Amino acid sequence: MKMKLIAAASLALCSSLSFAATAKLACDPSTPLEMINTCAPEAQLFIGGSSALGGALTTVVPADLFDTSKPLITVVDGAGSSQSKEVSAWYGMSLSALTGGVSKRLFVVYNKNNGSAAGVSMVMAKTDPKNAKGTNIAESQVVAVGPVAGARNSCIETAGGTLERPKFTCTSTAWTQADLAISDVHSTELYALYSQAAKAKVTDYTQKPLALQGFGIAVNWNFYQALQRQNIADKLIADTCEGTVSAACQPSIRSSDYATLISKNASSFPKSAAIFVSGDATALNLARRDDLSGTQASSNIFFANNACGIVPAKSKGLGGGLQIAGALESVAGKLTIDELAVSGDVTTRLNSSVGYAIGAVGLGSSQDDAVGKWKWVRIDGQSPNYNPDGTKAYKNRTQFANGNYPFAMVAFGIYPNAFFKKPVAGSYKLQLSEAVIAGLRDSTLHDLTGVAYIDGVADTDAAKPKQSKVTRLNGNNCSPLIRP
């Protein structure tokens, strides 16, 4: 596991860099520049977790939490930390209904570094009573706005903004824990958590199912063509398909072959790409996610025969299926296994690999149909992004929304019970969290890519479904897809 959140050793920074700044510097909200540098937020929400749902979050948060009739600042983390490129943040005036009937200065941060389990770990740490003694804290370093240690912040305007949507880069950061986690699977289905955060009980936090989220297996262009050659030999696609991007020419892999690839049993490791392509000794790069990833947990659950009952010792009682191949199991010149922190790193690795490369990615990503770019493949003949008639699956979801493609999991929003049992006066965290959850699960609010909704109104256009026709029983991703 790659530990990228920073824990208790860094807590000394909290006294000077805090969301809840108490500086005496006069707040000047007259312009976005003055507000971001001189005004402490009046309400704030820190979201951590899923990178597969990253695009969805960056749609929902600005639209559903802020008064967009007023300037809304996009905050860029310019601190240069290992996490900064995975941070999205916004500062503006809240929708009054979410903050006690009065619009407040609202700051929202979303950190997707390491994915689902990183966010869940921070929420669990937040609920752990031992936190009061300064122990068992897993925190994340995220960008901060407003005055810092009593002085004006150093945020500067950045190119790419507009008068209504200005953009500022800030270099001040704060150590904090997530108020809300977005996870690709239920918390007990994750493979791993940060050990210092895994002390809280499931009953200490609320988990709400969001939507059915689709996943797919993606390959780089070289491997796509090699798989096409194998499929041509197997008479699955036409002889003229090699090098062609279309529904009819999309190659297929066997789920049993991919399960062999990601299982830890060394005797089943492929010596090369021959596990997928007969006789092909080309080195294979498995661009997988790290153990904190909900996408990786989804892959483990789905390809390991829904083996959620197999609980490895290192997983501390969590699910997520069989133990999985890691970087130490790479075989020089034959098999390279990379553990990557976010979904974007997987697609970047696929595009940059010169040999053969393969990995699992959420369907919130969009395939580039251009020659040379990464592509989805079929799983046991079933396509994630093409309908049976050859048309594009609407928003990358028609197939799994209708129950015709199986690699899909119920995602969850997770927050501490303390938000509604003992709410902090003026924090509005419950209202803000619920608004994010509604934005991800309600089909009447958005039309998000890679998401089939469980709430909202019935579909009126069968060719463009939003509602999921299938689900997993009670949000249990180890159960099969069923029609409720």
Side-chain angles (χ1 to χ4, degrees):
M1 184 190 308
K2 297 181 178 179
M3 304 296 284
K4 293 186 178 178
L5 295 183
I6 309 299
S10 299
L11 291 178
L13 294 178
C14 288
S15 60
S16 61
L17 299 176
S18 172
F19 283 174
T22 56
K24 296 181 180 179
L25 181 71
C27 168
D28 179 2
S30 60
T31 67
L33 175 63
E34 292 305 309
M35 186 175 84
I36 197 171
N37 282 316
T38 67
C39 297
E42 298 170 294
Q44 51 213 359
L45 187 74
F46 174 34
I47 308 168
S50 171
S51 63
L53 285 169
L57 263 295
T58 56
T59 295
V60 168
V61 170
D64 295 1
L65 272 61
F66 290 92
D67 181 350
T68 54
S69 69
K70 300 175 182 177
L72 174 58
I73 300 169
T74 297
V75 184
V76 178
D77 187 342
S81 70
S82 62
Q83 300 177 44
S84 59
K85 70 184 181 70
E86 311 305 343
V87 172
S88 300
W90 304 267
Y91 191 28
M93 301 307 295
S94 70
L95 289 172
S96 59
L98 301 177
T99 50
V102 178
S103 186
K104 303 278 188 180
R105 293 189 301 273
L106 173 63
F107 181 47
V108 180
V109 179
Y110 164 52
N111 187 346
K112 63 184 178 182
N113 194 63
N114 284 115
S116 299
V120 172
S121 294
M122 285 184 285
V123 168
M124 291 179 72
K126 199 179 191 79
T127 66
D128 188 346
K130 291 184 179 181
N131 280 348
K133 300 178 182 178
T135 60
N136 299 315
I137 298 178
E139 294 198 325
S140 186
Q141 186 181 14
V142 292
V143 67
V145 301
V148 177
R152 180 186 178 90
N153 207 336
S154 56
C155 302
I156 58 174
E157 191 162 6
T158 302
T162 65
L163 286 175
E164 296 78 17
R165 299 292 181 270
K167 183 180 293 186
F168 288 85
T169 296
C170 301
T171 55
S172 298
T173 57
W175 296 97
T176 191
Q177 294 166 315
D179 302 307
L180 171 67
I182 304 298
S183 178
D184 300 326
V185 294
H186 192 277
S187 68
T188 59
E189 295 167 342
L190 294 165
Y191 179 79
L193 291 171
Y194 283 107
S195 59
Q196 67 266 41
K199 308 296 183 182
K201 301 175 183 177
V202 174
T203 52
D204 291 335
Y205 48 93
T206 292
Q207 302 197 63
K208 292 195 172 183
L210 300 175
L212 196 66
Q213 179 185 187
F215 295 90
I217 298 301
V219 299
N220 70 336
W221 178 243
N222 287 342
F223 199 27
Y224 187 84
Q225 295 174 93
L227 291 169
Q228 285 182 321
R229 291 192 290 271
Q230 181 66 65
N231 277 203
I232 290 170
D234 293 337
K235 306 298 184 183
L236 298 177
I237 57 178
D239 293 347
T240 56
C241 273
E242 186 178 349
T244 299
V245 181
S246 70
C249 292
Q250 185 177 42
S252 180
I253 63 168
R254 290 182 291 266
S255 57
S256 58
D257 290 342
Y258 194 77
T260 300
L261 178 64
I262 66 169
S263 297
K264 192 171 183 178
N265 184 357
S267 66
S268 64
F269 277 169
K271 293 183 178 180
S272 66
I275 191 171
F276 295 101
V277 181
S278 179
D280 193 330
T282 305
L284 181 62
N285 181 189
L286 172 59
R288 55 152 284 188
R289 296 289 304 283
D290 64 24
D291 292 346
L292 295 171
S293 161
T295 297
Q296 190 62 47
S298 299
S299 174
N300 301 344
I301 291 170
F302 179 72
F303 288 101
N305 299 315
N306 290 329
C308 293
I310 300 176
V311 182
K314 71 173 289 186
S315 70
K316 298 185 180 297
L318 301 174
L322 298 175
Q323 290 191 350
I324 42 183
L328 296 180
E329 286 81 20
S330 296
V331 181
K334 297 179 180 179
L335 178 66
T336 300
I337 304 175
D338 294 314
E339 297 181 77
L340 304 169
V342 293
S343 294
D345 290 344
V346 174
T347 54
T348 297
R349 183 63 51 84
L350 295 178
N351 279 336
S352 64
S353 296
V354 295
Y356 293 169
I358 188 170
V361 186
L363 295 186
S365 301
S366 295
Q367 170 184 295
D368 186 337
D369 287 343
V371 168
K373 300 297 184 179
W374 69 266
K375 302 286 181 284
W376 301 117
V377 296
R378 298 174 186 265
I379 300 173
D380 296 328
Q382 296 169 298
S383 174
N385 63 325
Y386 291 115
N387 296 319
D389 63 2
T391 59
K392 289 286 185 70
Y394 184 68
K395 294 281 186 176
N396 277 356
R397 68 164 172 251
T398 313
Q399 285 287 75
F400 78 86
N402 287 332
N404 299 323
Y405 174 81
F407 193 9
M409 301 285 160
V410 178
F412 285 81
I414 303 168
Y415 56 76
N417 289 342
F419 283 1
F420 55 86
K421 285 186 176 179
K422 294 182 180 179
V424 177
S427 71
Y428 311 109
K429 293 187 185 298
L430 175 61
Q431 294 85 344
L432 295 167
S433 296
E434 289 284 12
V436 174
I437 288 171
L440 291 171
R441 68 180 293 170
D442 188 340
S443 66
T444 65
L445 298 178
H446 299 285
D447 191 8
L448 302 171
T449 301
V451 168
Y453 293 88
I454 57 177
D455 280 1
V457 297
D459 294 321
T460 56
D461 186 347
K464 296 182 178 181
K466 297 176 72 173
Q467 294 291 108
S468 178
K469 307 300 188 296
V470 295
T471 188
R472 297 195 185 272
L473 187 62
N474 298 322
N476 175 7
N477 288 307
C478 295
S479 68
L481 288 170
I482 60 171
R483 295 187 182 275

